[in-house]
Amino acid sequence: MYLPLRSISVFNAVARSGSISSAAEELNVTPSAVSQQIQALETHLGTSLMVKVGRGVALTEAGERYFSMITEEIDRISEATQSIRGLRPVTLLTVRATPTLSSKWLLPRLRSFLDANPDLEVRLNGTNEVTDFTRETVDVEIRHGRGQWPGLHTEGLTEEWFFPVCRPDYAAAGSLEVADVAQHRLIQSVKSQVQWPFWFSMSKITPPNQIRRVLFDRSHMAIDAAADGIGLALESSLMMWRELRDGSLVCPVRNPPRISQTTQWIVCPVDHLRKNKVSLFIDWLRAEVAQWQAEQAQQLKLPFLD
């Protein structure tokens, strides 16, 4: 029986990326050529496999079933081809995490995982989009939220402390009283789970009606803004550990309220835990978190971290 292998390969690329243009770029062909291959496969199978949704595509029910059945086989073919060509077989681990966690915490540590696991190739997808594990080929996600996702393995990454920070030449460490904070320009990430009104409430302070603010949609932008001397940022010790360690950010408030939360969670389907590459990555994350916790207790010397 004739198998349209080229069309199957193209379909797999589109289904993985969710985009005809992305698949075309990956395969080094035109989007029109990709669409033609998809149409040929649908004709061969006698059913529709995907539909357009906005700028991307979504799999139909038949498309999802077909994709789930062929993905593992295509991966095997790829590894077999690399092996026969004399190339080292590589297993791909796809990790999704928020942009701030990816750039501020995960990326600076990733080399140790890669060095310890040379047969793994890591794809780090830095986005706030929540993974749909039923149709996306993501192995594990570090998800921002409150840890309430039924049906998934959910494990808190670590407890984070939230406190005001600024550049040391903007205000020295411990130089401000809690009541002084409202007089300064306040920097905030709008997606943070700890906002300034909550901080003032925990401080038992009623701020004035008019507060100078600057808002960002990413925590890493708020951290960088504070390091640039724009004002005071309310951020997580997890995300700004390097700036605190290097002294480019300090806590200027004497005796700030103790505010801690877990906002980052290791998330994946339960059956993914049986994959060796996933268990290796999660074990590595746990070890890195334990080391980070020990280092911050020694280096930061902040009273509320004791």
Side-chain angles (χ1 to χ4, degrees):
M1 178 182 177
Y2 163 71
L3 288 177
L5 295 178
R6 176 61 177 168
S7 296
I8 293 172
S9 176
V10 170
F11 167 75
N12 181 67
V14 176
R16 278 192 293 104
S17 64
S19 166
I20 288 177
S21 59
S22 296
E25 183 177 352
E26 175 186 335
L27 299 170
N28 198 27
V29 297
T30 64
S32 176
V34 170
S35 297
Q36 290 173 8
Q37 292 290 340
I38 297 299
Q39 291 172 5
L41 181 59
E42 290 178 330
T43 299
H44 180 82
L45 296 174
T47 187
S48 175
L49 297 174
M50 57 183 60
V51 294
K52 289 185 176 181
V53 177
R55 296 183 178 180
V57 294
L59 298 180
T60 63
E61 184 177 349
E64 290 180 354
R65 290 204 311 271
Y66 189 60
F67 179 53
S68 66
M69 288 187 286
I70 68 171
T71 299
E72 188 172 339
E73 300 305 321
I74 289 179
D75 288 343
R76 289 177 182 173
I77 292 171
S78 176
E79 289 189 9
T81 302
Q82 290 178 347
S83 178
I84 293 298
R85 291 178 59 195
L87 300 177
R88 176 176 60 84
V90 172
T91 299
L92 176 64
L93 172 70
T94 301
V95 178
R96 175 170 289 179
T98 61
T100 298
L101 185 75
S102 296
S103 63
K104 291 289 188 182
W105 195 86
L106 194 55
L107 186 57
R109 292 170 165 77
L110 193 58
R111 179 179 174 180
S112 68
F113 179 76
L114 298 173
D115 289 346
N117 300 277
D119 291 334
L120 285 182
E121 183 177 273
V122 175
R123 177 177 179 179
L124 178 56
N125 185 356
T127 177
N128 284 310
E129 294 296 324
V130 173
T131 302
D132 180 353
F133 287 102
T134 63
R135 62 176 300 271
E136 295 183 83
T137 55
V138 174
D139 293 302
V140 62
E141 179 182 2
I142 306 176
R143 184 179 295 182
H144 178 262
R146 302 191 181 278
Q148 300 171 345
W149 301 288
L152 295 174
H153 169 77
T154 302
E155 175 183 339
L157 186 63
T158 185
E159 184 180 42
E160 305 164 55
W161 292 93
F162 289 80
F163 49 89
V165 292
C166 66
R167 202 163 76 176
D169 60 359
Y170 179 91
S175 63
L176 301 179
E177 298 293 342
V178 169
D180 299 330
V181 169
Q183 302 171 15
H184 294 265
R185 183 184 292 112
L186 303 182
I187 302 167
Q188 184 68 64
S189 167
V190 296
K191 295 179 181 178
S192 174
Q193 288 180 212
V194 178
Q195 300 284 333
W196 279 112
F198 178 73
W199 188 87
F200 283 117
S201 174
M202 291 293 291
S203 303
K204 297 180 172 51
I205 295 293
T206 301
N209 293 329
Q210 297 296 324
I211 294 180
R212 293 177 296 158
R213 299 189 305 165
V214 56
L215 306 176
F216 297 97
D217 65 350
R218 297 286 188 273
S219 286
H220 66 84
M221 298 171 68
I223 293 168
D224 291 345
D228 285 337
I230 290 179
L232 304 181
L234 179 61
E235 278 299 335
S236 155
S237 56
L238 182 71
M239 302 303 184
M240 55 188 179
W241 67 274
R242 187 158 52 179
E243 288 82 2
L244 291 167
R245 181 199 64 187
D246 297 343
S248 56
L249 287 178
V250 297
C251 178
V253 182
R254 189 179 304 113
N255 298 319
R258 299 169 62 92
I259 300 175
S260 64
Q261 289 190 16
T262 298
T263 72
Q264 304 291 329
W265 303 81
I266 302 169
V267 177
C268 68
V270 175
D271 61 353
H272 282 204
L273 297 174
R274 294 195 293 267
K275 298 180 180 180
N276 185 55
K277 59 183 179 180
V278 173
S279 62
L280 286 172
F281 183 72
I282 292 178
D283 287 345
W284 172 80
L285 276 177
R286 292 168 179 154
E288 288 295 317
V289 165
Q291 181 178 343
W292 170 75
Q293 290 172 332
E295 289 175 350
Q296 74 161 358
Q298 294 175 1
Q299 295 174 354
L300 300 187
K301 305 300 182 185
L302 297 171
F304 44 87
L305 296 182
D306 293 340

